Short mmCIF file of all heavy atoms in Angstrom, two decimals:
data_model
loop_
_atom_site.label_atom_id
_atom_site.label_comp_id
_atom_site.label_asym_id
_atom_site.label_seq_id
_atom_site.Cartn_x
_atom_site.Cartn_y
_atom_site.Cartn_z
N ASP O 779 156.21 66.40 -13.10
CA ASP O 779 155.37 65.15 -12.96
C ASP O 779 154.63 64.79 -14.28
O ASP O 779 153.68 65.38 -14.55
CB ASP O 779 154.44 65.32 -11.83
CG ASP O 779 153.50 64.05 -11.61
OD1 ASP O 779 153.94 63.01 -12.22
OD2 ASP O 779 152.59 64.19 -10.88
N GLN O 780 155.21 63.84 -14.99
CA GLN O 780 154.68 63.63 -16.38
C GLN O 780 153.29 62.83 -16.27
O GLN O 780 152.60 62.74 -17.37
CB GLN O 780 155.66 62.73 -17.18
CG GLN O 780 156.95 63.58 -17.48
CD GLN O 780 157.88 62.79 -18.28
OE1 GLN O 780 157.87 61.57 -18.24
NE2 GLN O 780 158.83 63.44 -18.97
N SER O 781 152.94 62.41 -15.18
CA SER O 781 151.59 61.72 -15.02
C SER O 781 150.61 62.72 -14.48
O SER O 781 149.38 62.37 -14.46
CB SER O 781 151.81 60.51 -14.01
OG SER O 781 151.86 61.03 -12.63
N TYR O 782 150.97 63.92 -14.09
CA TYR O 782 150.03 64.98 -13.68
C TYR O 782 149.12 64.43 -12.51
O TYR O 782 147.96 64.71 -12.48
CB TYR O 782 149.14 65.47 -14.76
CG TYR O 782 149.88 66.38 -15.77
CD1 TYR O 782 150.50 65.67 -16.87
CD2 TYR O 782 150.10 67.66 -15.59
CE1 TYR O 782 151.21 66.48 -17.83
CE2 TYR O 782 150.83 68.42 -16.49
CZ TYR O 782 151.35 67.81 -17.57
OH TYR O 782 152.07 68.56 -18.54
N GLN O 783 149.62 63.53 -11.57
CA GLN O 783 148.89 62.85 -10.63
C GLN O 783 148.21 63.91 -9.70
O GLN O 783 147.05 63.72 -9.33
CB GLN O 783 149.84 62.03 -9.70
CG GLN O 783 148.89 61.05 -8.92
CD GLN O 783 148.10 60.07 -9.67
OE1 GLN O 783 148.50 59.40 -10.52
NE2 GLN O 783 146.77 60.15 -9.37
N LEU O 784 148.86 64.93 -9.21
CA LEU O 784 148.22 65.95 -8.24
C LEU O 784 147.18 66.64 -9.00
O LEU O 784 146.05 66.87 -8.40
CB LEU O 784 149.28 66.99 -7.90
CG LEU O 784 148.77 67.99 -6.96
CD1 LEU O 784 148.11 67.52 -5.70
CD2 LEU O 784 149.83 69.05 -6.52
N LEU O 785 147.35 66.93 -10.35
CA LEU O 785 146.18 67.62 -11.06
C LEU O 785 145.03 66.68 -11.20
O LEU O 785 143.88 67.13 -11.03
CB LEU O 785 146.77 68.19 -12.37
CG LEU O 785 145.74 68.91 -13.29
CD1 LEU O 785 145.20 70.13 -12.61
CD2 LEU O 785 146.48 69.32 -14.67
N ARG O 786 145.34 65.41 -11.55
CA ARG O 786 144.19 64.48 -11.62
C ARG O 786 143.40 64.38 -10.42
O ARG O 786 142.21 64.36 -10.28
CB ARG O 786 144.76 63.19 -12.14
CG ARG O 786 145.21 63.22 -13.61
CD ARG O 786 146.17 62.07 -13.96
NE ARG O 786 145.75 60.86 -13.72
CZ ARG O 786 146.48 59.77 -13.97
NH1 ARG O 786 147.68 59.84 -14.33
NH2 ARG O 786 146.02 58.58 -13.74
N ASP O 787 144.21 64.17 -9.22
CA ASP O 787 143.58 63.99 -7.95
C ASP O 787 142.76 65.18 -7.51
O ASP O 787 141.61 65.01 -6.97
CB ASP O 787 144.63 63.71 -6.89
CG ASP O 787 145.28 62.32 -7.08
OD1 ASP O 787 144.76 61.53 -7.74
OD2 ASP O 787 146.35 62.10 -6.46
N SER O 788 143.33 66.40 -7.66
CA SER O 788 142.53 67.59 -7.31
C SER O 788 141.34 67.88 -8.20
O SER O 788 140.29 68.31 -7.65
CB SER O 788 143.47 68.79 -7.27
OG SER O 788 144.24 68.82 -8.36
N LEU O 789 141.45 67.49 -9.36
CA LEU O 789 140.28 67.54 -10.24
C LEU O 789 139.15 66.56 -9.82
O LEU O 789 137.99 66.94 -9.83
CB LEU O 789 140.59 67.22 -11.75
CG LEU O 789 141.13 68.41 -12.54
CD1 LEU O 789 141.57 67.94 -13.95
CD2 LEU O 789 139.92 69.38 -12.88
N ASP O 790 139.53 65.40 -9.45
CA ASP O 790 138.55 64.41 -8.97
C ASP O 790 137.84 64.91 -7.71
O ASP O 790 136.58 64.94 -7.55
CB ASP O 790 139.27 63.08 -8.46
CG ASP O 790 139.77 62.27 -9.67
OD1 ASP O 790 139.29 62.50 -10.76
OD2 ASP O 790 140.63 61.31 -9.44
N LEU O 791 138.63 65.62 -6.74
CA LEU O 791 138.00 66.08 -5.58
C LEU O 791 137.10 67.34 -5.93
O LEU O 791 135.99 67.35 -5.39
CB LEU O 791 139.21 66.64 -4.64
CG LEU O 791 139.94 65.54 -3.94
CD1 LEU O 791 141.21 66.15 -3.30
CD2 LEU O 791 139.15 64.82 -2.84
N TYR O 792 137.54 68.16 -6.75
CA TYR O 792 136.68 69.30 -7.14
C TYR O 792 135.32 68.91 -7.86
O TYR O 792 134.33 69.38 -7.35
CB TYR O 792 137.37 70.28 -8.14
CG TYR O 792 136.85 71.64 -8.16
CD1 TYR O 792 137.41 72.68 -7.47
CD2 TYR O 792 135.71 71.90 -8.97
CE1 TYR O 792 136.82 73.95 -7.55
CE2 TYR O 792 135.08 73.15 -9.07
CZ TYR O 792 135.75 74.17 -8.30
OH TYR O 792 135.14 75.48 -8.35
N LEU O 793 135.43 67.87 -8.66
CA LEU O 793 134.21 67.48 -9.34
C LEU O 793 133.28 66.59 -8.45
O LEU O 793 132.17 66.46 -8.65
CB LEU O 793 134.61 66.74 -10.67
CG LEU O 793 135.16 67.64 -11.72
CD1 LEU O 793 135.78 66.83 -12.82
CD2 LEU O 793 134.10 68.60 -12.23
N ALA O 794 133.93 66.07 -7.40
CA ALA O 794 133.06 65.38 -6.24
C ALA O 794 132.19 66.35 -5.65
O ALA O 794 131.08 66.06 -5.21
CB ALA O 794 134.01 64.62 -5.40
N MET O 795 132.72 67.55 -5.44
CA MET O 795 131.98 68.67 -4.82
C MET O 795 131.08 69.34 -5.74
O MET O 795 130.01 69.72 -5.31
CB MET O 795 132.91 69.54 -4.01
CG MET O 795 133.78 69.02 -3.02
SD MET O 795 134.65 70.33 -2.10
CE MET O 795 136.14 70.59 -3.19
N TYR O 796 131.56 69.63 -6.93
CA TYR O 796 130.72 70.40 -7.99
C TYR O 796 130.76 69.65 -9.28
O TYR O 796 131.53 69.98 -10.22
CB TYR O 796 131.53 71.83 -8.19
CG TYR O 796 131.51 72.61 -6.89
CD1 TYR O 796 132.78 72.64 -6.16
CD2 TYR O 796 130.37 73.27 -6.45
CE1 TYR O 796 132.76 73.38 -4.91
CE2 TYR O 796 130.50 73.97 -5.21
CZ TYR O 796 131.64 74.06 -4.50
OH TYR O 796 131.71 74.72 -3.34
N PRO O 797 129.97 68.51 -9.37
CA PRO O 797 129.97 67.61 -10.60
C PRO O 797 129.62 68.18 -11.97
O PRO O 797 129.94 67.64 -12.89
CB PRO O 797 129.11 66.53 -10.10
CG PRO O 797 128.19 66.98 -9.10
CD PRO O 797 129.05 68.15 -8.37
N ASP O 798 128.94 69.29 -11.81
CA ASP O 798 128.50 70.06 -13.04
C ASP O 798 129.30 71.20 -13.44
O ASP O 798 128.76 72.08 -14.20
CB ASP O 798 126.97 70.40 -12.92
CG ASP O 798 126.13 69.10 -12.84
OD1 ASP O 798 126.53 67.95 -13.28
OD2 ASP O 798 125.10 69.20 -12.26
#
Side-chain angles (χ1 to χ4, degrees):
D779 179 11
Q780 294 179 337
S781 69
Y782 292 92
Q783 192 62 57
L784 179 57
L785 182 56
R786 287 156 61 182
D787 290 344
S788 46
L789 274 172
D790 288 345
L791 287 166
Y792 197 98
L793 290 169
M795 293 188 284
Y796 302 97
D798 294 336

